[in-house]
């Protein structure tokens, strides 16, 4: 759990993040980020399940990932590795290389009331990753906006 925090200028080149969650073996992670600012890092918020067979569940609420040289928010895993479920609510990913990325099978990122703007690529998925919208997000003014892979009913 990280609350009311600003994390800036972490990492160099292509490694390092404000917050990086990488469980290993059979380890899992339950992540809550509330009112977190990840600014000017290599990666803002990185959730990586490729070293574990258990899952990562994360909620990112009322937070900002801005001006990171790679991704604002990224969730990545591989076949046979940890499933990842992320809820991004009332948050912003702005002025990064990628706003939000979902990479790999078993990776689902849901967004609710969030803004993705001013990035090189706003939304991106690959390898079977899902990026779902509750229908009330703003994706605009990115060099490439990208698209959600589907929608979901927020309850």
């Amino acid at each position: 759990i990280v609350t009311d925090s600003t994390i800036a200028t972490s990492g160099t080149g292509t490694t390092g993040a404000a917050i990086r969650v990488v469980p290993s073996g059979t380890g899992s992670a339950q992540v809550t980020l509330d009112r977190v600012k990840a600014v000017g890092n290599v990666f803002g918020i990185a959730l990586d399940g490729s070293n574990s067979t258990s899952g990562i569940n994360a909620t990112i609420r009322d937070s900002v990932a801005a001006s990171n040289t790679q991704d604002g928010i990224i969730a990545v895993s591989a076949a046979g590795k940890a499933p990842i479920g992320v809820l991004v609510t009332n948050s912003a990913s702005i002025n990064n290389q990628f706003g939000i990325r979902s990479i790999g099978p078993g990776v689902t990122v849901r967004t609710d009331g969030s803004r993705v703007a001013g990035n090189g690529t706003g939304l991106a998925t690959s390898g079977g990753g899902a990026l779902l919208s509750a229908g009330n997000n703003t994706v605009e003014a990115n060099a490439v906006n990208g698209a959600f892979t589907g929608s979901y009913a927020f309850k």
Side-chain angles (χ1 to χ4, degrees), residues 135-149:
N136 58 350
N137 300 287
T138 302
V139 180
E140 63 184 3
N142 300 285
V144 174
N145 281 330
F148 291 102
T149 59

Side-chain angles (χ1 to χ4, degrees), residues 10-11 14 20-21 23 41 46-47 52 55-56 63 65 73 76 82 86 91 93 99 107-108 134 142 146 153 155:
S10 295
T14 59
R20 183 172 180 243
V21 178
N41 306 284
L47 307 166
S52 174
I56 299 173
S63 295
I73 300 169
V76 60
V86 183
S91 295
S93 186
V107 178
T108 302
N142 300 285
K155 297 179 181 187

Side-chain angles (χ1 to χ4, degrees), residues 2-153:
V2 180
T3 305
D4 295 323
S5 299
T6 298
I7 304 164
T9 65
S10 295
T12 59
T14 59
T15 60
I19 295 176
R20 183 172 180 243
V21 178
V22 188
S24 62
T26 58
S28 64
Q30 314 315 309
V31 179
T32 302
L33 306 177
D34 196 8
R35 295 179 309 277
V36 170
K37 294 180 181 122
V39 181
N41 306 284
V42 175
F43 291 90
I45 300 165
L47 307 166
D48 184 349
S50 60
N51 293 325
S52 174
T53 55
S54 295
I56 299 173
N57 290 311
T59 300
I60 302 167
R61 185 177 62 180
D62 298 325
S63 295
V64 176
S67 302
N68 298 291
T69 60
Q70 297 292 321
D71 296 79
I73 300 169
I74 183 171
V76 60
S77 196
K81 296 298 182 175
I84 301 175
V86 183
L87 173 63
V88 180
T89 185
N90 299 322
S91 295
S93 186
I94 53 176
N95 300 327
N96 307 288
Q97 181 61 36
F98 290 91
I100 302 175
R101 275 201 295 176
S102 177
I103 301 172
V107 178
T108 302
V109 178
R110 293 172 178 84
T111 60
D112 170 48
S114 294
R115 175 172 289 239
V116 180
N119 301 286
T121 299
L123 304 173
T125 62
S126 63
L131 189 50
L132 307 177
S133 172
N136 58 350
N137 300 287
T138 302
V139 180
E140 63 184 3
N142 300 285
V144 174
N145 281 330
F148 291 102
T149 59
S151 62
Y152 75 102

